CSV table of all heavy atoms in Angstrom, one decimal:
chain,number,residue,atom,x,y,z
A,273,MET,N,0.6,2.3,-24.0
A,273,MET,CA,0.5,1.0,-23.2
A,273,MET,C,0.4,1.3,-21.7
A,273,MET,O,1.2,2.1,-21.2
A,273,MET,CB,1.7,0.2,-23.5
A,273,MET,CG,1.5,-1.3,-23.2
A,273,MET,SD,2.8,-2.3,-23.8
A,273,MET,CE,3.9,-2.2,-22.4
A,274,GLU,N,-0.5,0.7,-21.1
A,274,GLU,CA,-0.7,0.9,-19.7
A,274,GLU,C,0.3,0.1,-18.8
A,274,GLU,O,0.6,-1.0,-19.1
A,274,GLU,CB,-2.1,0.6,-19.2
A,274,GLU,CG,-2.5,1.3,-18.0
A,274,GLU,CD,-3.9,0.9,-17.5
A,274,GLU,OE1,-4.8,0.6,-18.4
A,274,GLU,OE2,-4.1,0.9,-16.3
A,275,LYS,N,0.9,0.8,-17.9
A,275,LYS,CA,1.8,0.1,-17.0
A,275,LYS,C,1.1,-0.9,-16.1
A,275,LYS,O,0.1,-0.6,-15.6
A,275,LYS,CB,2.5,1.2,-16.1
A,275,LYS,CG,3.9,0.9,-15.7
A,275,LYS,CD,4.5,2.1,-15.0
A,275,LYS,CE,4.9,1.7,-13.6
A,275,LYS,NZ,4.9,2.8,-12.6
A,276,ALA,N,1.7,-2.1,-16.0
A,276,ALA,CA,1.1,-3.1,-15.1
A,276,ALA,C,1.2,-2.6,-13.6
A,276,ALA,O,2.2,-1.9,-13.2
A,276,ALA,CB,1.9,-4.4,-15.2
A,277,LYS,N,0.1,-2.8,-12.9
A,277,LYS,CA,0.1,-2.4,-11.5
A,277,LYS,C,0.4,-3.5,-10.6
A,277,LYS,O,-0.3,-4.6,-10.7
A,277,LYS,CB,-1.2,-1.8,-11.2
A,277,LYS,CG,-1.5,-0.5,-12.0
A,277,LYS,CD,-2.9,0.0,-11.9
A,277,LYS,CE,-3.5,0.2,-13.2
A,277,LYS,NZ,-4.6,-0.5,-13.6
A,278,PHE,N,1.4,-3.4,-9.9
A,278,PHE,CA,1.9,-4.4,-9.0
A,278,PHE,C,2.0,-3.9,-7.6
A,278,PHE,O,2.6,-2.8,-7.3
A,278,PHE,CB,3.3,-4.8,-9.5
A,278,PHE,CG,4.0,-5.9,-8.6
A,278,PHE,CD1,3.6,-7.2,-8.7
A,278,PHE,CD2,5.0,-5.5,-7.8
A,278,PHE,CE1,4.2,-8.2,-7.9
A,278,PHE,CE2,5.6,-6.5,-7.0
A,278,PHE,CZ,5.2,-7.8,-7.1
A,279,CYS,N,1.2,-4.5,-6.7
A,279,CYS,CA,1.2,-4.0,-5.3
A,279,CYS,C,2.5,-4.5,-4.6
A,279,CYS,O,2.7,-5.7,-4.5
A,279,CYS,CB,0.0,-4.5,-4.6
A,279,CYS,SG,0.0,-4.0,-2.8
A,280,PRO,N,3.3,-3.6,-4.0
A,280,PRO,CA,4.5,-4.0,-3.4
A,280,PRO,C,4.2,-4.7,-2.0
A,280,PRO,O,5.1,-5.3,-1.4
A,280,PRO,CB,5.3,-2.7,-3.2
A,280,PRO,CG,4.3,-1.7,-3.3
A,280,PRO,CD,3.2,-2.1,-4.1
A,281,ILE,N,3.0,-4.6,-1.5
A,281,ILE,CA,2.7,-5.1,-0.2
A,281,ILE,C,2.2,-6.6,-0.3
A,281,ILE,O,2.8,-7.5,0.3
A,281,ILE,CB,1.6,-4.3,0.5
A,281,ILE,CG1,1.9,-2.8,0.6
A,281,ILE,CG2,1.3,-4.9,1.9
A,281,ILE,CD1,3.1,-2.5,1.4
A,282,CYS,N,1.2,-6.8,-1.1
A,282,CYS,CA,0.7,-8.2,-1.3
A,282,CYS,C,1.3,-8.9,-2.4
A,282,CYS,O,1.1,-10.1,-2.6
A,282,CYS,CB,-0.8,-8.2,-1.3
A,282,CYS,SG,-1.5,-7.3,-2.7
A,283,LYS,N,2.2,-8.3,-3.2
A,283,LYS,CA,2.9,-8.9,-4.3
A,283,LYS,C,2.0,-9.4,-5.4
A,283,LYS,O,2.3,-10.5,-5.9
A,283,LYS,CB,3.9,-10.0,-3.8
A,283,LYS,CG,4.7,-9.7,-2.6
A,283,LYS,CD,5.9,-8.9,-3.0
A,283,LYS,CE,6.9,-8.8,-1.7
A,283,LYS,NZ,7.5,-7.4,-1.7
A,284,LYS,N,0.9,-8.7,-5.6
A,284,LYS,CA,0.0,-9.2,-6.6
A,284,LYS,C,-0.2,-8.1,-7.7
A,284,LYS,O,-0.1,-7.0,-7.4
A,284,LYS,CB,-1.4,-9.5,-6.0
A,284,LYS,CG,-1.4,-10.8,-5.2
A,284,LYS,CD,-2.8,-11.0,-4.6
A,284,LYS,CE,-2.8,-12.3,-3.7
A,284,LYS,NZ,-3.6,-12.2,-2.6
A,285,MET,N,-0.5,-8.6,-8.9
A,285,MET,CA,-0.9,-7.7,-9.9
A,285,MET,C,-2.3,-7.3,-9.6
A,285,MET,O,-3.2,-8.1,-9.2
A,285,MET,CB,-0.9,-8.4,-11.3
A,285,MET,CG,0.4,-9.0,-11.7
A,285,MET,SD,1.7,-7.7,-11.9
A,285,MET,CE,1.1,-6.7,-13.2
A,286,VAL,N,-2.6,-6.0,-9.7
A,286,VAL,CA,-4.0,-5.6,-9.3
A,286,VAL,C,-4.5,-4.8,-10.5
A,286,VAL,O,-3.8,-4.1,-11.2
A,286,VAL,CB,-4.0,-4.7,-8.0
A,286,VAL,CG1,-3.6,-5.6,-6.8
A,286,VAL,CG2,-3.0,-3.5,-8.1
A,287,SER,N,-5.9,-4.9,-10.6
A,287,SER,CA,-6.5,-4.2,-11.7
A,287,SER,C,-6.9,-2.8,-11.3
A,287,SER,O,-7.0,-1.9,-12.2
A,287,SER,CB,-7.8,-5.0,-12.1
A,287,SER,OG,-8.6,-5.2,-11.0
A,288,GLU,N,-7.0,-2.5,-10.0
A,288,GLU,CA,-7.3,-1.2,-9.6
A,288,GLU,C,-6.0,-0.3,-9.6
A,288,GLU,O,-4.9,-0.9,-9.7
A,288,GLU,CB,-7.8,-1.2,-8.1
A,288,GLU,CG,-8.9,-2.0,-7.8
A,288,GLU,CD,-8.4,-3.4,-7.2
A,288,GLU,OE1,-7.4,-3.9,-7.7
A,288,GLU,OE2,-9.1,-3.9,-6.3
A,289,ASN,N,-6.2,1.0,-9.6
A,289,ASN,CA,-5.0,1.8,-9.5
A,289,ASN,C,-4.5,1.7,-8.0
A,289,ASN,O,-5.3,1.5,-7.1
A,289,ASN,CB,-5.4,3.3,-9.7
A,289,ASN,CG,-5.6,3.6,-11.2
A,289,ASN,OD1,-4.8,3.1,-12.0
A,289,ASN,ND2,-6.6,4.3,-11.5
A,290,LEU,N,-3.2,1.7,-7.9
A,290,LEU,CA,-2.6,1.7,-6.6
A,290,LEU,C,-3.0,3.0,-5.9
A,290,LEU,O,-3.1,4.1,-6.5
A,290,LEU,CB,-1.1,1.6,-6.7
A,290,LEU,CG,-0.6,0.3,-7.2
A,290,LEU,CD1,1.0,0.3,-7.2
A,290,LEU,CD2,-1.1,-0.9,-6.4
A,291,VAL,N,-3.1,3.0,-4.6
A,291,VAL,CA,-3.4,4.1,-3.8
A,291,VAL,C,-2.1,4.9,-3.7
A,291,VAL,O,-1.1,4.3,-3.3
A,291,VAL,CB,-4.0,3.8,-2.4
A,291,VAL,CG1,-4.2,5.0,-1.5
A,291,VAL,CG2,-5.3,3.0,-2.6
A,292,ASP,N,-2.1,6.2,-3.9
A,292,ASP,CA,-1.0,7.0,-3.7
A,292,ASP,C,-0.9,7.3,-2.2
A,292,ASP,O,-1.6,8.2,-1.6
A,292,ASP,CB,-1.1,8.3,-4.4
A,292,ASP,CG,0.2,9.2,-4.3
A,292,ASP,OD1,0.9,9.0,-3.3
A,292,ASP,OD2,0.3,10.1,-5.1
A,293,THR,N,-0.1,6.4,-1.5
A,293,THR,CA,-0.1,6.5,0.0
A,293,THR,C,0.5,7.8,0.5
A,293,THR,O,0.3,8.2,1.7
A,293,THR,CB,0.6,5.3,0.6
A,293,THR,OG1,1.6,4.9,-0.2
A,293,THR,CG2,-0.4,4.1,0.7
A,294,CYS,N,1.4,8.4,-0.3
A,294,CYS,CA,1.9,9.7,0.2
A,294,CYS,C,0.8,10.8,0.3
A,294,CYS,O,0.8,11.6,1.2
A,294,CYS,CB,2.9,10.3,-0.9
A,294,CYS,SG,4.4,9.4,-1.0
A,295,GLU,N,-0.2,10.7,-0.6
A,295,GLU,CA,-1.2,11.7,-0.7
A,295,GLU,C,-2.4,11.4,0.1
A,295,GLU,O,-3.0,12.3,0.8
A,295,GLU,CB,-1.7,11.9,-2.1
A,295,GLU,CG,-0.6,12.3,-3.1
A,295,GLU,CD,-0.8,13.6,-3.7
A,295,GLU,OE1,-1.9,13.8,-4.2
A,295,GLU,OE2,0.1,14.5,-3.5
A,296,SER,N,-2.8,10.1,0.1
A,296,SER,CA,-4.2,9.9,0.6
A,296,SER,C,-4.2,8.9,1.8
A,296,SER,O,-5.3,8.7,2.4
A,296,SER,CB,-5.1,9.3,-0.5
A,296,SER,OG,-4.5,8.2,-1.1
A,297,ALA,N,-3.1,8.3,2.3
A,297,ALA,CA,-3.2,7.5,3.4
A,297,ALA,C,-2.8,8.2,4.7
A,297,ALA,O,-2.0,9.1,4.7
A,297,ALA,CB,-2.3,6.3,3.3
A,298,HIS,N,-3.5,7.9,5.8
A,298,HIS,CA,-3.1,8.5,7.0
A,298,HIS,C,-1.8,8.0,7.5
A,298,HIS,O,-1.4,6.9,7.2
A,298,HIS,CB,-4.2,8.2,8.1
A,298,HIS,CG,-5.5,8.8,7.8
A,298,HIS,ND1,-5.7,10.2,7.9
A,298,HIS,CD2,-6.7,8.3,7.3
A,298,HIS,CE1,-7.0,10.5,7.5
A,298,HIS,NE2,-7.6,9.4,7.1
A,299,GLN,N,-1.1,8.8,8.3
A,299,GLN,CA,0.2,8.4,8.8
A,299,GLN,C,0.2,7.1,9.6
A,299,GLN,O,1.1,6.2,9.4
A,299,GLN,CB,0.8,9.5,9.7
A,299,GLN,CG,2.2,9.3,10.1
A,299,GLN,CD,3.2,9.2,8.9
A,299,GLN,OE1,3.1,10.0,8.0
A,299,GLN,NE2,4.1,8.2,8.9
A,300,TYR,N,-0.9,6.8,10.3
A,300,TYR,CA,-0.9,5.5,11.1
A,300,TYR,C,-1.0,4.3,10.2
A,300,TYR,O,-0.5,3.3,10.5
A,300,TYR,CB,-2.0,5.5,12.1
A,300,TYR,CG,-3.4,5.3,11.6
A,300,TYR,CD1,-4.0,4.0,11.6
A,300,TYR,CD2,-4.2,6.4,11.1
A,300,TYR,CE1,-5.3,3.8,11.1
A,300,TYR,CE2,-5.5,6.1,10.6
A,300,TYR,CZ,-6.0,4.9,10.6
A,300,TYR,OH,-7.3,4.6,10.1
A,301,VAL,N,-1.7,4.5,9.0
A,301,VAL,CA,-1.7,3.4,8.0
A,301,VAL,C,-0.3,3.1,7.5
A,301,VAL,O,0.1,2.0,7.4
A,301,VAL,CB,-2.7,3.7,6.9
A,301,VAL,CG1,-2.8,2.6,5.9
A,301,VAL,CG2,-4.1,4.0,7.4
A,302,ILE,N,0.4,4.2,7.1
A,302,ILE,CA,1.7,4.1,6.6
A,302,ILE,C,2.6,3.4,7.7
A,302,ILE,O,3.4,2.5,7.4
A,302,ILE,CB,2.3,5.5,6.2
A,302,ILE,CG1,1.5,6.0,5.0
A,302,ILE,CG2,3.8,5.5,6.0
A,302,ILE,CD1,1.7,7.5,4.7
A,303,ASP,N,2.5,3.8,8.9
A,303,ASP,CA,3.3,3.2,10.0
A,303,ASP,C,2.9,1.7,10.2
A,303,ASP,O,3.8,0.9,10.4
A,303,ASP,CB,3.0,3.9,11.3
A,303,ASP,CG,3.6,5.3,11.4
A,303,ASP,OD1,4.5,5.6,10.5
A,303,ASP,OD2,3.2,6.1,12.2
A,304,ASN,N,1.7,1.4,10.1
A,304,ASN,CA,1.3,-0.1,10.2
A,304,ASN,C,1.9,-0.9,9.0
A,304,ASN,O,2.4,-2.0,9.3
A,304,ASN,CB,-0.3,-0.2,10.1
A,304,ASN,CG,-0.9,0.2,11.4
A,304,ASN,OD1,-0.3,0.2,12.4
A,304,ASN,ND2,-2.2,0.4,11.3
A,305,ILE,N,1.9,-0.3,7.8
A,305,ILE,CA,2.5,-1.1,6.7
A,305,ILE,C,4.0,-1.2,6.9
A,305,ILE,O,4.5,-2.3,6.8
A,305,ILE,CB,2.2,-0.4,5.4
A,305,ILE,CG1,0.7,-0.3,5.1
A,305,ILE,CG2,2.9,-1.1,4.2
A,305,ILE,CD1,0.3,0.5,3.9
A,306,LYS,N,4.6,-0.2,7.4
A,306,LYS,CA,6.1,-0.2,7.5
A,306,LYS,C,6.5,-1.1,8.6
A,306,LYS,O,7.6,-1.7,8.6
A,306,LYS,CB,6.6,1.2,7.9
A,306,LYS,CG,6.7,2.1,6.6
A,306,LYS,CD,7.3,3.4,6.9
A,306,LYS,CE,7.6,4.1,5.6
A,306,LYS,NZ,7.9,5.6,5.8
A,307,ARG,N,5.6,-1.3,9.6
A,307,ARG,CA,6.0,-2.3,10.7
A,307,ARG,C,6.1,-3.7,10.1
A,307,ARG,O,7.0,-4.5,10.5
A,307,ARG,CB,4.9,-2.2,11.7
A,307,ARG,CG,5.4,-2.6,13.1
A,307,ARG,CD,4.3,-2.2,14.2
A,307,ARG,NE,4.1,-0.8,14.2
A,307,ARG,CZ,2.9,-0.2,14.4
A,307,ARG,NH1,1.8,-0.9,14.5
A,307,ARG,NH2,2.7,1.1,14.4
A,308,LYS,N,5.3,-4.0,9.2
A,308,LYS,CA,5.3,-5.4,8.6
A,308,LYS,C,6.2,-5.4,7.3
A,308,LYS,O,6.7,-6.5,7.0
A,308,LYS,CB,3.9,-5.8,8.1
A,308,LYS,CG,2.9,-5.9,9.3
A,308,LYS,CD,2.5,-7.3,9.6
A,308,LYS,CE,1.6,-7.4,10.8
A,308,LYS,NZ,1.0,-8.6,11.0
A,309,HIS,N,6.4,-4.3,6.7
A,309,HIS,CA,7.2,-4.3,5.5
A,309,HIS,C,8.2,-3.1,5.6
A,309,HIS,O,8.0,-2.1,5.0
A,309,HIS,CB,6.3,-4.0,4.3
A,309,HIS,CG,5.2,-5.1,4.1
A,309,HIS,ND1,5.4,-6.2,3.3
A,309,HIS,CD2,4.0,-5.2,4.6
A,309,HIS,CE1,4.4,-7.0,3.4
A,309,HIS,NE2,3.5,-6.4,4.1
A,310,PRO,N,9.3,-3.4,6.3
A,310,PRO,CA,10.3,-2.4,6.6
A,310,PRO,C,10.9,-1.7,5.4
A,310,PRO,O,11.4,-0.6,5.4
A,310,PRO,CB,11.3,-3.1,7.5
A,310,PRO,CG,10.8,-4.4,7.9
A,310,PRO,CD,9.6,-4.7,6.9
A,311,ASN,N,10.9,-2.5,4.3
A,311,ASN,CA,11.6,-1.9,3.1
A,311,ASN,C,10.6,-1.1,2.2
A,311,ASN,O,11.0,-0.5,1.2
A,311,ASN,CB,12.2,-3.1,2.2
A,311,ASN,CG,13.3,-3.8,2.9
A,311,ASN,OD1,14.0,-3.2,3.7
A,311,ASN,ND2,13.3,-5.1,2.7
A,312,TRP,N,9.4,-1.1,2.6
A,312,TRP,CA,8.4,-0.4,1.8
A,312,TRP,C,8.5,1.1,2.1
A,312,TRP,O,8.7,1.5,3.2
A,312,TRP,CB,7.0,-0.9,2.2
A,312,TRP,CG,5.9,-0.2,1.5
A,312,TRP,CD1,5.4,-0.5,0.2
A,312,TRP,CD2,5.1,0.9,2.0
A,312,TRP,NE1,4.3,0.4,0.0
A,312,TRP,CE2,4.1,1.2,1.0
A,312,TRP,CE3,5.1,1.6,3.2
A,312,TRP,CZ2,3.2,2.2,1.2
A,312,TRP,CZ3,4.2,2.6,3.4
A,312,TRP,CH2,3.2,2.9,2.4
A,313,VAL,N,8.3,1.9,1.1
A,313,VAL,CA,8.2,3.4,1.3
A,313,VAL,C,6.9,3.9,0.7
A,313,VAL,O,6.4,3.3,-0.3
A,313,VAL,CB,9.4,4.1,0.7
A,313,VAL,CG1,10.7,3.9,1.5
A,313,VAL,CG2,9.7,3.7,-0.8
A,314,GLU,N,6.4,4.9,1.3
A,314,GLU,CA,5.0,5.4,0.9
A,314,GLU,C,4.9,5.7,-0.5
A,314,GLU,O,3.9,5.6,-1.1
A,314,GLU,CB,4.5,6.5,1.9
A,314,GLU,CG,5.4,7.6,2.1
A,314,GLU,CD,6.2,7.5,3.4
A,314,GLU,OE1,6.9,6.4,3.5
A,314,GLU,OE2,6.3,8.5,4.1
A,315,LYS,N,6.0,6.2,-1.1
A,315,LYS,CA,5.9,6.5,-2.6
A,315,LYS,C,5.7,5.3,-3.5
A,315,LYS,O,5.3,5.4,-4.6
A,315,LYS,CB,7.1,7.3,-3.0
A,315,LYS,CG,8.4,6.6,-3.1
A,315,LYS,CD,9.5,7.5,-3.8
A,315,LYS,CE,10.9,6.9,-3.7
A,315,LYS,NZ,11.0,5.5,-4.2
A,316,ASP,N,5.9,4.1,-2.9
A,316,ASP,CA,5.6,2.9,-3.7
A,316,ASP,C,4.1,2.6,-3.9
A,316,ASP,O,3.7,1.9,-4.8
A,316,ASP,CB,6.2,1.6,-3.0
A,316,ASP,CG,7.8,1.6,-3.1
A,316,ASP,OD1,8.3,2.4,-3.9
A,316,ASP,OD2,8.4,0.8,-2.3
A,317,GLY,N,3.4,3.2,-3.0
A,317,GLY,CA,1.9,3.0,-3.0
A,317,GLY,C,1.5,1.6,-2.6
A,317,GLY,O,2.4,0.8,-2.2
A,318,ALA,N,0.2,1.3,-2.6
A,318,ALA,CA,-0.3,0.0,-2.2
A,318,ALA,C,-1.7,-0.1,-2.9
A,318,ALA,O,-2.3,0.9,-3.2
A,318,ALA,CB,-0.4,0.0,-0.7
A,319,CYS,N,-2.2,-1.3,-3.0
A,319,CYS,CA,-3.5,-1.5,-3.6
A,319,CYS,C,-4.5,-1.2,-2.5
A,319,CYS,O,-4.3,-1.2,-1.3
A,319,CYS,CB,-3.7,-2.9,-4.1
A,319,CYS,SG,-3.8,-4.2,-2.9
A,320,PRO,N,-5.8,-0.8,-3.0
A,320,PRO,CA,-6.8,-0.4,-2.1
A,320,PRO,C,-7.1,-1.5,-1.0
A,320,PRO,O,-7.4,-1.1,0.1
A,320,PRO,CB,-8.0,-0.2,-3.0
A,320,PRO,CG,-7.5,0.0,-4.3
A,320,PRO,CD,-6.2,-0.7,-4.4
A,321,ARG,N,-7.0,-2.7,-1.3
A,321,ARG,CA,-7.2,-3.8,-0.3
A,321,ARG,C,-6.2,-3.7,0.8
A,321,ARG,O,-6.5,-3.9,2.0
A,321,ARG,CB,-7.1,-5.2,-1.0
A,321,ARG,CG,-8.5,-5.7,-1.4
A,321,ARG,CD,-8.4,-7.1,-2.0
A,321,ARG,NE,-7.4,-7.1,-3.1
A,321,ARG,CZ,-7.8,-6.9,-4.4
A,321,ARG,NH1,-9.1,-6.6,-4.7
A,321,ARG,NH2,-6.9,-6.9,-5.3
A,322,CYS,N,-4.9,-3.5,0.5
A,322,CYS,CA,-3.9,-3.5,1.5
A,322,CYS,C,-4.1,-2.2,2.4
A,322,CYS,O,-4.0,-2.3,3.6
A,322,CYS,CB,-2.5,-3.4,0.8
A,322,CYS,SG,-2.0,-5.0,0.2
A,323,VAL,N,-4.4,-1.1,1.7
A,323,VAL,CA,-4.6,0.1,2.5
A,323,VAL,C,-5.8,-0.1,3.5
A,323,VAL,O,-5.7,0.2,4.7
A,323,VAL,CB,-4.9,1.3,1.6
A,323,VAL,CG1,-5.4,2.5,2.4
A,323,VAL,CG2,-3.7,1.7,0.8
A,324,ASP,N,-6.9,-0.8,3.0
A,324,ASP,CA,-8.0,-1.1,3.9
A,324,ASP,C,-7.6,-2.0,5.0
A,324,ASP,O,-8.0,-1.8,6.2
A,324,ASP,CB,-9.0,-1.9,3.1
A,324,ASP,CG,-10.2,-1.0,2.8
A,324,ASP,OD1,-10.1,0.2,2.8
A,324,ASP,OD2,-11.3,-1.6,2.6
A,325,TYR,N,-6.8,-3.0,4.7
A,325,TYR,CA,-6.4,-4.0,5.7
A,325,TYR,C,-5.5,-3.3,6.8
A,325,TYR,O,-5.8,-3.5,8.0
A,325,TYR,CB,-5.6,-5.1,5.0
A,325,TYR,CG,-4.9,-6.1,6.0
A,325,TYR,CD1,-5.7,-7.1,6.6
A,325,TYR,CD2,-3.6,-6.0,6.3
A,325,TYR,CE1,-5.1,-8.0,7.4
A,325,TYR,CE2,-3.0,-6.8,7.2
A,325,TYR,CZ,-3.8,-7.9,7.8
A,325,TYR,OH,-3.2,-8.7,8.7
A,326,TYR,N,-4.6,-2.5,6.4
A,326,TYR,CA,-3.7,-1.8,7.4
A,326,TYR,C,-4.4,-0.7,8.1
A,326,TYR,O,-3.9,-0.2,9.1
A,326,TYR,CB,-2.4,-1.4,6.7
A,326,TYR,CG,-1.5,-2.6,6.5
A,326,TYR,CD1,-1.5,-3.2,5.2
A,326,TYR,CD2,-0.8,-3.1,7.5
A,326,TYR,CE1,-0.7,-4.3,5.0
A,326,TYR,CE2,0.0,-4.2,7.3
A,326,TYR,CZ,0.1,-4.8,6.1
A,326,TYR,OH,0.8,-5.9,5.8
A,327,LYS,N,-5.6,-0.3,7.6
A,327,LYS,CA,-6.4,0.7,8.4
A,327,LYS,C,-7.0,0.1,9.6
A,327,LYS,O,-7.3,0.8,10.6
A,327,LYS,CB,-7.5,1.2,7.4
A,327,LYS,CG,-7.5,2.6,7.0
A,327,LYS,CD,-8.7,2.9,6.2
A,327,LYS,CE,-8.2,3.7,5.0
A,327,LYS,NZ,-9.3,3.9,4.0
A,328,LYS,N,-7.2,-1.2,9.5
A,328,LYS,CA,-8.0,-1.9,10.5
A,328,LYS,C,-7.2,-2.6,11.6
A,328,LYS,O,-7.7,-3.1,12.6
A,328,LYS,CB,-8.9,-3.0,9.9
A,328,LYS,CG,-10.1,-2.3,9.1
A,328,LYS,CD,-10.8,-3.3,8.2
A,328,LYS,CE,-11.7,-2.6,7.3
A,328,LYS,NZ,-12.0,-3.4,6.1
A,329,ILE,N,-5.9,-2.7,11.4
A,329,ILE,CA,-5.1,-3.4,12.4
A,329,ILE,C,-4.5,-2.3,13.4
A,329,ILE,O,-4.5,-1.2,13.1
A,329,ILE,CB,-4.0,-4.3,11.8
A,329,ILE,CG1,-3.0,-3.5,11.0
A,329,ILE,CG2,-4.6,-5.4,11.0
A,329,ILE,CD1,-1.7,-4.3,10.6
B,261,ZN,ZN1,-1.9,-5.1,-2.0
């Protein structure tokens, strides 16, 4: 059974795989997310849309 994918940033179920932010996100993206979501940690991952969004701000 496949584990449901839930993005901790936008709080949505997502059909895509979550991005492993530890491995593939740049530090500034991680910092941007943490600024808005202080309780989030990079090992939680994020959906590709959120990673994209935080890349641009
Ligand atoms: Zn998301």
Side-chain angles (χ1 to χ4, degrees):
M273 201 173 86
E274 205 182 326
K275 207 175 120 203
K277 292 168 232 121
F278 177 78
C279 174
I281 307 293
C282 60
K283 316 275 189 220
K284 283 180 185 146
M285 301 298 297
V286 292
S287 51
E288 307 96 323
N289 284 318
L290 293 181
V291 175
D292 183 342
T293 37
C294 289
E295 300 245 306
S296 56
H298 292 288
Q299 188 60 46
Y300 77 94
V301 179
I302 292 170
D303 290 343
N304 283 343
I305 298 174
K306 282 185 172 168
R307 210 167 295 141
K308 298 248 177 171
H309 301 272
N311 297 323
W312 177 85
V313 285
E314 50 266 48
K315 70 172 171 52
D316 290 346
C319 71
R321 267 184 302 273
C322 285
V323 172
D324 251 25
Y325 174 79
Y326 284 98
K327 246 181 226 172
K328 289 170 191 152
I329 62 168

